[in-house]
Amino acid sequence: MSRVYNFSAGPAMLPEEVLRQSSAEMLDYQGCGMSVMEMSHRSSSFQNILDQAQQDLKDLLALPDNYKVLFLQGGASQQFAMVPMNLMKNGVADYIVTGQWAKKAYAEGAKYGKANKLATSEDRTFAYIPDCADLPVSPDADYVYICENNTIYGTKYKTLPNTKGKPLVADQSSCFLSEPVDVSRYGLIFAGAQKNIGPAGVVVVIIREDLIPEEVPAFVPTMLQYKIHADNNSLYNTPPCYGIYICGKVFQWIKAQGGLEGMQQRNLEKAKLLYDFLDESRLFRGTVDKKDRSLMNVPFVTGDKDLDAKFVKEAAAKGLVNLKGHRTVGGMRASIYNAMPLAGVQTLVDFMKQFETENG
Amino acid sequence: MSRVYNFSAGPAMLPEEVLRQSSAEMLDYQGCGMSVMEMSHRSSSFQNILDQAQQDLKDLLALPDNYKVLFLQGGASQQFAMVPMNLMKNGVADYIVTGQWAKKAYAEGAKYGKANKLATSEDRTFAYIPDCADLPVSPDADYVYICENNTIYGTKYKTLPNTKGKPLVADQSSCFLSEPVDVSRYGLIFAGAQKNIGPAGVVVVIIREDLIPEEVPAFVPTMLQYKIHADNNSLYNTPPCYGIYICGKVFQWIKAQGGLEGMQQRNLEKAKLLYDFLDESRLFRGTVDKKDRSLMNVPFVTGDKDLDAKFVKEAAAKGLVNLKGHRTVGGMRASIYNAMPLAGVQTLVDFMKQFETENG
């Protein structure tokens, strides 16, 4: 067996230790004689897995008591509808559009009320985060929406928008648990699991309790009501049990790395290694404004499409895979989520240096 | 490692061979250096997994060309809303209510139009399937809905309802791929994976192409539109990749057992063993009308609650687990899905005989 360094934007690398444990427990979880995949979601064994995952996540986030943690299905894309369906009371919401995912969320929001594009960075292919210190937030906005880390473009909010008292809703899919976060500044956070915390098929929702509506419009499906899932502790119907189990293992792994402070230190170190090289390189350059650089997704180009393609191909041959950039940006993108070890980034930078020497 | 015989109603047993393969491939799928959980859903490796799973399912079902196979999220519960949201054109649908799940689907359907309860077996705690040969199907019904196998009560339609030309929609969650099926008699079939085909978090939808609407009401979320998923071949957003991979392995396992004919023979043999004993037992008796007995879920009682509890406890001590019945039926329930081997049912019957001798 030979593991590669996988720079995929998602689904993405998981800690090898988590995979080893899961493999070992596949036929018999802790002596109960069955796989976690085979367990009734109403069994005490699974209830323990769910409770532990939830508690570990609360610990990691130092979650205030007035927030609920939900493990749902349908990914971030389904949250694009669930958020307005549940949170639009005045029928108005403000969206800051910093990439394709925020744009999709905005379009979906517009189906359920008046969605305002409060700011956007589309003018420069989303290569920056707009100044959000004093935006004209709608007086009757039910929430202000952001995609906090933009996977495709490699930008991240370093300062949260001034929402002027309105609840902040954040898609944290690609930066979730990558650094400490003050949850009390958000009304709702959601994150698809497949980047930083587990396999595709689980989406974590963290919601301030007072935002969970008692009533929703009649057309909202039962499965798309936060209240149903909150009241049933994510067990209204059969949840994605195996995915939750893997997320739980990742939460424990993060704890063992020193929690979110530990992850931040590790992520800063990895990102610095790569960005420092990009800033001094004669061949490669980063594509986004330095002040808005993501710690998770690092797009870069040579400026020559053929050379980009050559780089991606030669890197893959060395076990550095999935470095091809998104088609809207071109070039390369290295996604260096929590589970990517420093050695992976070091190997990448070493290869970039070598490639620069050979092709510069 | 000691595996138990797991009679859970779902999530339920998976073929041991499937689990062994998954365990072996956890850190490195076929030499690509990563787990299936870590693969980009846009990668050729995952595309191959998806294509193969889809093709194997089509082969097993001898699927007519005018049907699409979709792998979605949200389980059967989300289908309860997706079906009326997409299929109600006249705003009318007929439901046959043969258990709690059909009842929930009916209630959800009533949110989106006029849902008629065409027939029900609620008068005798759903212990039978009503005669559906000549029901007063609504002239403008968009579909007739059934739950084909009733997990909680242990009944199954042996004859499909006469829908008088209206499309038949069937929740096959707990009988999917358990026997040959003539798909051309259905408009839409859906099945949560966690009983017969894989882990929770995947729901398979098989839909006749002409029923996929070009347009849906404006309030229908993008993620709840069949057309979006059909047009994108289940890759509109990140699908539950690992679950699909496991389902694919189960499809291959079913093929190796002789396909749906092979499964049916195996399932008939298992069910006969248990039902024959129930019919001759002095202590135990089945709870449903013989003509409507499910091959998958077998509820039975002693008639004495304390004795039922004693049985469940002693059986568990012998590695026969999750035999407790649903609270609405009481007693015991043995779910003997595809992956339950004949030896498991034989061991159960042997223990029932012993228990009868000791307590009869």
Side-chain angles (χ1 to χ4, degrees):
Chain A
M1 190 204 69
S2 165
R3 298 260 301 161
V4 294
Y5 290 121
N6 176 12
F7 294 92
S8 170
M13 274 189 92
L14 287 166
E16 196 168 310
E17 193 182 320
V18 166
L19 296 173
R20 282 192 195 287
Q21 284 176 16
S22 312
S23 172
E25 292 172 348
M26 182 63 88
L27 280 95
D28 183 8
Y29 175 75
Q30 299 192 347
C32 74
M34 65 180 80
S35 174
V36 173
M37 286 191 211
E38 303 176 295
M39 265 176 205
S40 168
H41 57 299
R42 307 283 175 203
S43 65
S44 59
S45 298
F46 182 71
Q47 187 69 57
N48 290 342
I49 289 171
L50 179 64
D51 291 346
Q52 187 69 51
Q54 207 173 70
Q55 189 56 53
D56 285 335
L57 182 54
K58 287 181 179 178
D59 293 347
L60 285 169
L61 292 168
L63 198 73
D65 285 341
N66 59 329
Y67 286 78
K68 289 267 189 201
V69 170
L70 309 175
F71 295 96
L72 305 182
Q73 298 186 57
S77 295
Q78 196 154 306
Q79 291 308 306
F80 298 168
M82 260 181 103
V83 165
M85 279 176 149
N86 285 270
L87 267 52
M88 272 191 182
K89 284 170 189 163
N90 303 327
V92 178
D94 289 348
Y95 285 77
I96 303 176
V97 176
T98 53
Q100 283 200 23
W101 297 109
K103 204 172 167 179
K104 281 196 174 192
Y106 165 68
E108 197 78 4
K111 292 165 67 168
Y112 302 101
K114 186 166 169 356
N116 303 303
K117 201 185 282 186
L118 196 58
T120 176
S121 52
E122 199 160 9
D123 58 333
R124 284 202 285 122
T125 322
F126 301 118
Y128 68 103
I129 300 289
D131 181 349
C132 301
D134 186 22
L135 294 170
V137 174
S138 303
D140 52 351
D142 289 308
Y143 55 87
V144 175
Y145 182 101
I146 62 169
C147 178
E148 192 163 336
N149 185 88
N150 297 279
T151 319
I152 295 177
Y153 307 95
T155 60
K156 176 167 189 296
Y157 287 80
K158 299 299 164 78
T159 311
L160 291 177
N162 174 1
T163 65
K164 303 185 177 174
K166 305 301 179 193
L168 178 65
V169 172
D171 175 356
Q172 283 196 350
S173 294
S174 52
C175 61
F176 194 57
L177 302 191
S178 65
E179 59 185 17
V181 58
D182 178 359
V183 176
S184 72
R185 301 192 58 193
Y186 300 80
L188 188 152
I189 293 169
F190 65 84
Q194 68 272 17
K195 291 155 194 298
N196 260 326
I197 58 165
V202 181
V203 58
V204 173
V205 174
I206 293 161
I207 183 168
R208 214 176 65 205
E209 283 172 350
D210 64 289
L211 294 175
I212 301 174
E214 283 298 319
E215 297 227 336
V216 288
F219 61 77
V220 179
T222 305
M223 280 290 288
L224 268 59
Q225 300 175 19
Y226 290 126
K227 184 174 161 54
I228 288 285
H229 296 291
D231 287 353
N232 290 280
N233 193 27
S234 303
L235 287 168
Y236 169 69
N237 70 328
T238 318
C241 302
Y242 197 75
I244 293 172
Y245 154 77
I246 300 289
C247 290
K249 284 194 179 297
V250 173
F251 300 156
Q252 296 227 327
W253 177 82
I254 295 175
K255 277 188 157 180
Q257 309 299 310
L260 300 192
E261 287 77 11
M263 289 319 308
Q264 181 178 42
Q265 198 176 339
R266 187 182 149 109
N267 289 328
L268 281 168
E269 195 179 358
K270 291 183 308 188
K272 184 173 182 341
L273 191 61
L274 186 47
Y275 283 124
D276 280 356
F277 172 68
L278 285 175
D279 289 342
E280 73 184 29
S281 170
R282 286 163 290 113
L283 182 62
F284 300 100
R285 62 175 177 81
T287 58
V288 306
D289 291 7
K290 287 187 187 179
K291 68 174 176 54
D292 301 321
R293 280 172 167 176
S294 165
L295 294 186
M296 300 283 101
N297 311 97
V298 183
F300 55 96
V301 295
T302 64
D304 174 336
K305 277 185 186 180
D306 294 338
L307 209 53
D308 288 347
K310 188 177 181 224
F311 176 83
V312 169
K313 195 178 165 190
E314 290 185 11
K318 297 211 175 264
L320 302 161
V321 307
N322 290 322
L323 280 163
K324 193 175 176 204
H326 191 271
R327 65 181 188 286
T328 56
V329 178
M332 284 68 73
R333 174 179 46 176
S335 293
I336 51 176
Y337 297 117
N338 282 352
M340 172 62 69
L342 181 63
V345 181
Q346 186 62 64
T347 307
L348 171 63
V349 169
D350 289 347
F351 175 67
M352 288 169 78
K353 285 179 182 167
Q354 182 195 324
F355 188 88
E356 177 171 293
T357 305
E358 291 169 8
N359 300 273
Chain B
M1 189 204 70
S2 165
R3 298 259 302 162
V4 295
Y5 290 121
N6 177 11
F7 294 92
S8 170
M13 274 188 93
L14 287 166
E16 197 169 306
E17 193 182 321
V18 167
L19 296 173
R20 282 192 194 287
Q21 285 176 16
S22 312
S23 173
E25 292 172 350
M26 181 63 87
L27 280 96
D28 183 8
Y29 175 75
Q30 299 192 348
C32 74
M34 66 181 81
S35 173
V36 173
M37 286 190 211
E38 303 175 295
M39 266 177 204
S40 167
H41 57 300
R42 307 284 175 203
S43 66
S44 59
S45 298
F46 182 72
Q47 188 69 56
N48 290 340
I49 289 171
L50 179 63
D51 290 347
Q52 187 69 51
Q54 206 172 70
Q55 188 56 52
D56 285 336
L57 182 55
K58 286 181 179 178
D59 293 348
L60 284 169
L61 292 167
L63 198 72
D65 286 340
N66 59 328
Y67 285 78
K68 289 268 188 202
V69 171
L70 309 175
F71 295 97
L72 305 182
Q73 298 187 57
S77 296
Q78 196 154 306
Q79 291 308 305
F80 297 167
M82 261 182 103
V83 164
M85 279 177 149
N86 285 270
L87 267 52
M88 272 191 181
K89 284 170 188 164
N90 303 328
V92 178
D94 289 349
Y95 284 77
I96 303 176
V97 175
T98 54
Q100 283 200 23
W101 297 108
K103 203 172 167 179
K104 282 196 174 191
Y106 164 68
E108 196 79 4
K111 292 165 66 170
Y112 302 100
K114 186 167 170 354
N116 304 302
K117 201 186 281 184
L118 196 58
T120 176
S121 52
E122 199 160 8
D123 59 332
R124 284 202 283 120
T125 323
F126 301 118
Y128 68 103
I129 300 289
D131 182 349
C132 300
D134 187 21
L135 294 170
V137 174
S138 304
D140 51 352
D142 289 307
Y143 56 87
V144 175
Y145 181 101
I146 62 169
C147 179
E148 192 162 337
N149 184 88
N150 297 279
T151 318
I152 296 177
Y153 306 96
T155 60
K156 175 166 190 298
Y157 287 79
K158 300 298 164 79
T159 311
L160 291 177
N162 175 1
T163 64
K164 302 183 177 174
K166 306 301 178 194
L168 178 65
V169 172
D171 176 356
Q172 283 197 351
S173 293
S174 52
C175 61
F176 194 57
L177 304 190
S178 65
E179 58 185 19
V181 58
D182 178 358
V183 176
S184 72
R185 300 192 59 194
Y186 300 80
L188 188 153
I189 293 169
F190 66 83
Q194 68 272 18
K195 292 155 193 298
N196 260 325
I197 59 165
V202 180
V203 58
V204 173
V205 174
I206 293 160
I207 184 168
R208 215 175 65 204
E209 283 172 349
D210 64 289
L211 294 175
I212 301 173
E214 284 298 318
E215 297 227 337
V216 289
F219 62 75
V220 179
T222 306
M223 280 290 288
L224 269 59
Q225 299 175 20
Y226 290 127
K227 184 174 162 53
I228 288 285
H229 297 290
D231 286 352
N232 290 281
N233 192 27
S234 303
L235 287 168
Y236 169 69
N237 69 330
T238 319
C241 301
Y242 197 76
I244 294 171
Y245 154 77
I246 300 289
C247 290
K249 285 196 178 294
V250 173
F251 300 157
Q252 296 227 327
W253 177 82
I254 295 175
K255 276 187 157 179
Q257 310 299 309
L260 300 192
E261 287 76 12
M263 290 319 308
Q264 181 178 42
Q265 199 177 337
R266 185 183 151 110
N267 288 328
L268 282 168
E269 195 179 357
K270 290 184 307 192
K272 185 174 182 335
L273 190 63
L274 185 47
Y275 283 126
D276 280 357
F277 172 68
L278 285 175
D279 289 342
E280 72 184 27
S281 170
R282 284 162 292 112
L283 181 63
F284 300 100
R285 63 177 177 79
T287 57
V288 306
D289 290 8
K290 288 188 187 180
K291 69 175 178 50
D292 301 320
R293 280 173 167 174
S294 164
L295 294 186
M296 298 285 101
N297 311 96
V298 183
F300 55 96
V301 295
T302 64
D304 174 334
K305 279 183 185 180
D306 294 338
L307 208 53
D308 287 347
K310 186 175 182 223
F311 176 82
V312 169
K313 195 178 166 190
E314 290 185 11
K318 296 206 174 269
L320 302 161
V321 308
N322 289 323
L323 280 162
K324 192 174 176 205
H326 192 271
R327 64 180 190 286
T328 56
V329 178
M332 282 71 70
R333 173 178 48 175
S335 294
I336 51 177
Y337 297 117
N338 282 352
M340 173 63 69
L342 180 63
V345 181
Q346 185 65 64
T347 306
L348 171 62
V349 169
D350 289 347
F351 175 67
M352 289 169 77
K353 285 179 181 166
Q354 182 196 323
F355 188 87
E356 177 170 295
T357 305
E358 290 169 8
N359 300 275

